[in-house]
Amino acid sequence: MAAGAIGVNTPAHVFGHLGALFILTHSDPMDRFDEDSQTPAPPVTFTGRKTLVAAGVAVVLIAGALLIRPARTGDDARPPGPSERAATAVGMGAPASAADVVALVADREKWVASHADDDASWAVLGSAYLEQARRTADSAWYPKAEKALKRSLEVRPAEKGNFDAMTAMGSLANARRDFATGRKWGELVRAQAPRRWTAYPVLVDAYTGLGDYKGAQKAMELLLELRPGLAAHVRAAQVYRDRGWREDAVVSMESAAAAAKAPAEKAYALFRLGELSWERGDPAEALRQYEGALRTDPAQAEALAGRARALAALGRGGEAVRDYRMALGRTPVPQLARELGELLESLGRQQEAREQYGALTTMAVRDGANGVDDDVVLGLYEADHGDPAAAVRRLSQEWERHKSMQAADALGWALHRAGDHTAALEYAKKATEPGLRSADFAYHRAMIERALGDEAGARRHLQEALRTNPYFSPVRGPLAKEALAAIGQPPPGGPEHLQPVTPWVEPELPKPNPPKPKPAAAKPRPKPSPSPSAGR
């Protein structure tokens, strides 16, 4: 994306960094406050000749300044407008505020209506549609984004280096969870311009979705090398989280928050910090981060859903239901409907829970019509509340496309619910062994091991789930505690060489003998001096 400002009804140019002409002045030390310094200076008079000389010098200085740095089209002292701010944000791979995105969409739509061959503006418009979809969770924006980006590629094909449209096509594919296509676009940009940093966020997301975590880490390291900033630190936190390096993930996300320049960027970083706190079982800290995000950007619906999750963990169920409903009103996504349904189910409000589960399937159908892959969320719902055999079929196809930890966990759980515990364990291992610390993953593996009679493994992974995040689900969290209590502690005893029969008594060790002091060496006697008569 062109990292520059786009004004109203102006073509989408790529603007570089604006230079500046600084006039440096030098001040002498403060004069002495004495009688001489207080003497009034004589008046300055300008003759006609002096005036002409001064004017000539000014003209020379101005001409020299213009030669050094001529005026540019983008030199404008006015602050950027909403559309310009949004264009800069989407060009840098950063979130933009809702009002700015709306202004950018209106501006670019008006422009391309009379300038159909402006490939850069079509690419900006497609990226603006994509950001609008992210903020509203309305998948109807995806076909519009695809149409705009394809138009940009028609005007300027990929072979001629239309990198903005190619990068946005990769981001669009990742947003639809078509990670193989996202990788194709990202690699196409990298092949033509290896030093173009905008390809690497696309590649990190694509490799992560495909389950190629080593490839994601390599792309992330190159991104940090080429362009350290908000987008790079966000991807670094994602990679570290998937590896189980939670402290590194937090540090990277804090760096992203420090690099944020706009309120929407800051709010997104705070939301992600809240997610990291939630995943490690600290709902109070997560709530603080979510509320900070909402104060920074009240339209941050993801933080609103996070606050609902944290409130439910802290026992404030009524407030959590309220926030979930508000979040779903702004961003109707299947995952939030599943979470709200489970919360209502735990509160004994079964009818309302069934309404949310019905809304989940409606949202998934809508997303599917717009090219979005919701199979993991839909498969988990079917495994728990619908037809486990249908969930196995759906998730088996998902696993063929995307061999990620999320797909492995969902397929393993569906196989367990369908009664195939042996096959389920193999996929549960694929989900838990790469390193991600997920209470849900550990719980699923524990229940599969319990079904296979492996109480030791079930006990270990139930403890891991509750140690990671005891509030991970209002439904499965209590079930995990009940299962752990039913299994109990391991039986007493053990091999004789590990459990001594009698208590250990410290043996009496012989005291070391101190070394005897060596006798001092005798001093040599001085020889007697010869008598005077000896020489006679």
Side-chain angles (χ1 to χ4, degrees), residues 494-505:
E496 292 182 358
H497 64 282
L498 294 179
Q499 299 289 340
V501 179
T502 58
W504 182 77
V505 178

Side-chain angles (χ1 to χ4, degrees), residues 192-208:
Q192 296 186 36
R195 305 293 295 177
R196 190 175 182 87
W197 71 269
T198 53
Y200 292 94
V202 175
L203 289 173
V204 173
D205 294 344
Y207 281 124
T208 300

